[in-house]
Amino acid sequence: MQRGLTKLGLTEIRIGGFGGQGVILAAVVIGKAAAIFEGGYATMTQSFGPEARGGSSSAQVILSGDPILYPYVANPDILVVMSQEAYTRFSPQLKPGGILITEQELVRIDQAPTGIRMYGVPATRLAEELGRKVVLNIVMVGFFGAVTNMLNPDNLRQAVADSVPPAMQKLNLQAFDKGFAYGAEMIQGLAEDKDAEQLFALES
Amino acid sequence: MHADPKGVLTGVHFLDGDHACCEGTLAAGARFSAGYPITPSTEVVERFAWRIPTVGGIFIQMEDELAASIAIQGAVWGGAKAFTVTSGPGFSLMMEHIGYAAITETPCVFVNVQRGGPSTGLPTLPAQADMMQAKWGSHGDYSIIALCPNSPQECFDLTITAFNLSEEFRVPVMMMLDECVGHMTEKVVIPEADTIAITPRRFTKKTPEEFRLFEPQSDMVPDMVKAGDGYRFHVTGLTHDERGYPSMNVETQDVLVRRMHDKLKPFENGRAIYEAEFLDDAEVVVVSYGITSRVAQRALQLAREQGVKAGKFRMISAWPFPEQHIRELAGRVKAFVVPELNMGQMVREVERCAAGKAKVVSVPHAGGSVHDPDVILKAILEAAR
């Protein structure tokens, strides 16, 4: 698959979860990877306002090979959710053909939306295996990197290192690698198993 | 003069507009800020309070915006470059001291990250409804400069410009951000300190005996002194003569107010900061500023794709109003379309300068978000008809 922002049209991403899960940092890492290390453009906005209260948090990142004009995301191409509330709230906005990425142990999907691709990762559990639950957001970023294949993984990795305090770098890079490996394995598994891919690429 | 490297965070960053604005103040040489927290502007001084101990300077969280807006002026007369930061309700409280900065010709910068109003309105959402207040909010006749960035990068760049202009013309300069630009995170390139031009304070070369506090130089702007350098001086908000002493009569008032009014003429005539595109063949010109200029740019692209001869005039300096440009355009275009996140403020200036020669279409928005580009597009298409 061709990678690189210059080959990419405008891609709109929304990330949602609880406050404290590191939603904003995840968005910063993705934006930074695109805008600084990949040489493209990225605009990140956070949801302030009433919806930012009561424990929920969300951020929007727009990536493009060209300067970005309109700053907000209405219908994301990619939705990353780390809480049930965020899933309920944002999944109806996902574009047809879009990608839904979930923290699969925190988000239960009774009836999967049709016409999208869906990938789940037990990010909290993977982070706990590293000894620190707090890095679940970076596990998500790694997983995002592997399943979307939009950004050069080295650039994403560098953006992780660049966005956390030096003392936390090693742990966060491990978290990134773990999430990325989980995603890469899943994609490879899907490629080998055409039936499974059908399941994940439901056509509406 | 170049920027002091101590304050310049050279490198490529991923910053929001508020933080980029803060880096702009430090690069410009600001070493004093006083503020009172208010969404969505707090991040500017939050970062300043965090950064300033390593750069060398002072941040004071004051008891309110009145105190903040006058503390910075004390710092300026003490020799510092200084600024304050606020949003709508706080901006209203600062009006009295904006007038004081104007009449005492105190160079300083007011950053207003605009949110929906009136009153407490929409604390966390954008608007551009303080544009007239920036110019006319304090009583009396005075002139200010107002700049409208549309990206975090410009929040950095234009904050330096704001400080430089305030020193050159000795006027308060308003940085008119909006919540969207203030809270938007993008790449911000901060260059090497020795490539950043800084306008130093215009300290007098005269001796204490010769010096007169408000004696205009050839550019109508007086030179300055600072406290503690052996010059005796008296700074007052009362109408004052060239010595700085109150002199409340028609003649002194006329000289002072006219000079305060006229000293920005050189800026008005030829130094307006703007971005223009497709004006050569334009039949409809979209006049915009701040975040709305980005949304308008999208509408403009769509209009041109449909074959409409639409051009862009983006005001970066909104005050003094770029009168000459609008007058000149009015003579050769069919219409102006003016989208803004208010019920129609700067459009009045466009109308005044168009003087009936071109149609002027307001595209108002009550604030809380930005325009849908299609709404602006529709206005362009109708104006072109």
Side-chain angles (χ1 to χ4, degrees), chain B residues 29-101:
Chain B
R31 295 294 179 265
F32 184 94
S33 178
Y36 186 77
I38 184 166
T39 304
S41 72
T42 309
E43 291 91 333
V44 182
V45 281
E46 193 179 30
R47 189 179 177 100
F48 191 83
W50 169 62
R51 289 265 285 130
I52 201 66
T54 58
V55 176
I58 293 170
F59 170 71
I60 309 178
Q61 181 172 322
M62 301 299 290
E63 65 267 36
D64 58 28
E65 286 88 346
L66 281 87
S69 57
I70 201 68
I72 61 166
Q73 298 185 46
V76 169
W77 283 96
K81 290 194 178 181
F83 70 101
T84 187
V85 175
T86 193
S87 186
F91 200 49
S92 293
L93 292 176
M94 290 182 179
M95 284 304 137
E96 178 175 350
H97 292 149
I98 288 172
Y100 189 80

Side-chain angles (χ1 to χ4, degrees), chain A residues 28 31-32 35-36 42-45 48-49 68-72, chain B residues 13-14 124 126 180 183-187 294 297-298 301 370-371:
Chain A
V28 165
K32 202 183 261 188
I36 296 181
T43 298
M44 190 202 86
T45 51
F48 288 85
I68 295 155
L69 298 172
Y70 191 80
Y72 295 133
Chain B
H13 307 270
F14 198 55
T124 61
C180 188
H183 279 164
M184 162 199 291
T185 304
E186 291 185 336
K187 180 165 81 173
R294 288 172 63 150
Q297 178 82 16
R298 179 75 196 121
Q301 286 174 352
V370 298
H371 288 79

Side-chain angles (χ1 to χ4, degrees), chain A residues 130-184:
Chain A
L130 291 169
R132 291 291 300 275
K133 196 170 118 178
V134 295
V135 292
L136 88 123
N137 58 339
I138 303 300
V139 175
M140 291 298 288
V141 170
F143 184 72
F144 163 93
V147 300
T148 62
N149 198 36
M150 273 168 44
L151 297 163
N152 185 325
D154 295 337
N155 291 334
L156 260 177
R157 207 170 181 279
Q158 207 176 337
V160 172
D162 196 63
S163 304
V164 300
M168 296 292 282
Q169 243 177 39
K170 195 174 154 210
L171 175 67
N172 277 280
L173 289 174
Q174 283 172 344
F176 175 82
D177 293 341
K178 195 146 183 156
F180 190 88
Y182 193 92

Side-chain angles (χ1 to χ4, degrees), chain A residues 96-121:
Chain A
I99 298 175
L100 174 65
I101 297 173
T102 63
E103 200 313 349
Q104 67 183 28
E105 293 178 355
L106 296 177
V107 180
R108 200 182 65 201
I109 298 168
D110 290 333
Q111 201 183 354
T114 52
I116 59 153
R117 281 187 294 159
M118 218 165 68
Y119 304 97
V121 55

Side-chain angles (χ1 to χ4, degrees), chain A residues 177-191:
Chain A
D177 293 341
K178 195 146 183 156
F180 190 88
Y182 193 92
E185 207 172 301
M186 180 181 284
I187 293 294
Q188 198 179 353
L190 291 175

Side-chain angles (χ1 to χ4, degrees), chain B residues 184-205:
Chain B
M184 162 199 291
T185 304
E186 291 185 336
K187 180 165 81 173
V188 175
V189 181
I190 299 183
E192 302 281 347
D194 62 10
T195 65
I196 300 174
I198 297 297
T199 305
R201 178 133 316 151
R202 35 193 310 159
F203 285 122
T204 185
K205 292 187 179 64

Side-chain angles (χ1 to χ4, degrees), chain B residues 241-261:
Chain B
D241 59 21
E242 287 189 6
R243 298 171 308 152
Y245 289 105
S247 169
M248 288 159 286
N249 58 58
V250 179
E251 293 75 25
T252 316
Q253 172 78 357
D254 187 70
V255 168
L256 178 63
V257 173
R258 276 185 199 279
R259 184 173 61 73
M260 284 194 308
H261 184 262

